[in-house]
Amino acid sequence: MPATELEKEFSGARALAHVEKMVALGPRPSGTPALEETRKLIEAELRAAGWTAERQEFTDPTPRGPVKFANIVARFGGAGPGEPRVIFGGHYDTKIFDAVRFVGANDGGSSAGALLELARVLARRPALAQRIEIVFFDGEEAVDAFTATDGLYGSRHYGRVLRESGRARQFRFGIIWDMIGDRDLTVTLPSDSPSALTRGLFEAAEALGVRGKWGFLPGPALDDHVPLNQAGIPTIDIIDFDYAPWHTAGDTLDKISAESMETVGRVTLHYLATRAKELE
Ligand SMILES: [Zn+2]
């Protein structure tokens, strides 16, 4: 299948169906049985699409005591002839609230659902899929508020392992998805995004006729791309932070759309196709 056609395989409807299943599990904060159910769902879908799914488990102190976290690291067809050169990531946990029933359709749901659809699509190009590592991050959300030790638990752990093992050097770039389901899609890239990735994604958006939906945040963002950049891997955070129900009980399925996830999925795959030659 030519690279240019791969993007057309990405189905927002399929991504949304994954999100619906996760939201049906209720609030999914780190360390809860509902997040364990989410993990089982993610692992089953990955394996059905031909990927291996390994848990990267660790326990970290949090403002509410120690929590056991688990990233899910997916590789295509196990240890193939080529090692991964690109990281795709996003978080699958939802923020913990005491007084609010927060199900995170967009924040935590959309990234995980779209990454599962990405895995299905990439499996159609095995040589390319072997060059991709897909990571579902646990503990993106801060228990209280973002500090050096609260929030980004999963990506900080993953980035540290990459650095300490020397594996960070094998990766050319990374792409994070976060809150990509808003019906009214307005991608707001952090202002300090790596320039080559930014340029390439804007060109891909232009090619697909959706450049108008892509712009910048007024400043940087603290998200799962930060620990990867700190590990020396240029990584961009594709996020729509212009989302009124953010961290409220209103972040529900009716606020997100298949179309928005499809737009982000296809633009990202279009960009990936432009770099496929150097990866395969
Ligand atoms: Zn959040």
Side-chain angles (χ1 to χ4, degrees):
M1 179 175 300
T4 46
E5 285 175 19
L6 198 61
E7 74 213 25
K8 296 190 187 119
E9 291 291 315
F10 190 98
S11 159
R14 285 177 184 265
L16 182 61
H18 293 309
V19 181
E20 285 168 355
K21 284 188 195 160
M22 293 180 207
V23 167
L25 296 169
R28 307 175 300 288
S30 297
T32 63
L35 198 63
E36 174 61 21
E37 288 307 305
T38 310
R39 267 191 288 279
K40 287 182 183 158
L41 190 156
I42 290 169
E43 289 165 341
E45 291 293 339
L46 286 170
R47 287 171 186 150
W51 294 71
T52 61
E54 249 181 55
R55 291 188 184 194
Q56 186 181 54
E57 295 178 324
F58 61 99
T59 300
D60 261 6
T62 79
R64 296 191 186 204
V67 170
K68 190 176 171 191
F69 297 94
N71 297 324
I72 300 169
V73 180
R75 301 270 300 269
F76 190 71
E83 57 181 12
R85 305 223 177 281
V86 177
I87 297 164
F88 276 97
H91 75 102
Y92 70 96
D93 62 307
T94 60
K95 186 166 172 63
I96 187 164
F97 289 96
D98 291 326
V100 166
R101 188 172 186 278
F102 180 77
V103 297
N106 195 22
D107 193 2
S110 65
S111 41
L115 286 174
L116 285 177
E117 172 60 359
L118 179 78
R120 186 192 70 82
V121 173
L122 286 173
R124 305 184 67 121
R125 285 268 309 273
L128 181 58
Q130 281 180 352
R131 295 303 193 179
I132 312 290
E133 183 155 303
I134 304 179
V135 192
F136 295 76
F137 292 116
D138 193 354
E140 185 269 348
E141 299 290 359
V143 172
D144 287 338
F146 282 106
T147 66
T149 55
D150 191 12
L152 309 184
Y153 292 94
S155 52
R156 282 190 284 121
H157 180 81
Y158 176 79
R160 185 170 351 133
V161 171
L162 280 189
R163 285 199 314 269
E164 290 174 358
S165 65
R167 278 189 81 225
R169 284 191 293 274
Q170 80 187 48
F171 292 103
R172 306 266 172 84
F173 63 94
I175 293 179
I176 301 293
W177 284 341
D178 194 7
M179 299 205 293
I180 55 170
D182 184 2
R183 281 180 174 278
D184 175 21
L185 182 69
T186 319
V187 176
T188 52
L189 301 177
S191 59
D192 59 349
S193 295
S195 57
L197 282 162
T198 302
R199 206 163 44 242
L201 283 161
F202 281 171
E203 283 168 8
E206 180 78 47
L208 270 59
V210 292
R211 174 68 180 84
K213 294 179 189 289
W214 291 64
F216 286 107
L217 274 178
L222 197 51
D223 207 344
D224 288 324
H225 63 300
V226 171
L228 299 190
N229 279 299
Q230 285 169 350
I233 303 162
T235 303
I236 196 161
D237 187 28
I238 300 180
I239 185 170
D240 173 358
F241 205 62
D242 182 8
Y243 183 60
W246 177 65
H247 286 183
T248 73
D251 184 359
T252 45
L253 285 169
D254 55 307
K255 308 303 190 310
I256 68 172
S257 74
E259 189 190 350
S260 295
M261 283 185 280
E262 189 163 290
T263 296
V264 173
R266 290 185 177 188
V267 168
T268 306
L269 279 165
H270 188 94
Y271 172 69
L272 184 66
T274 65
R275 299 194 62 172
K277 278 275 175 293
E278 64 181 282
L279 300 176
E280 284 178 354

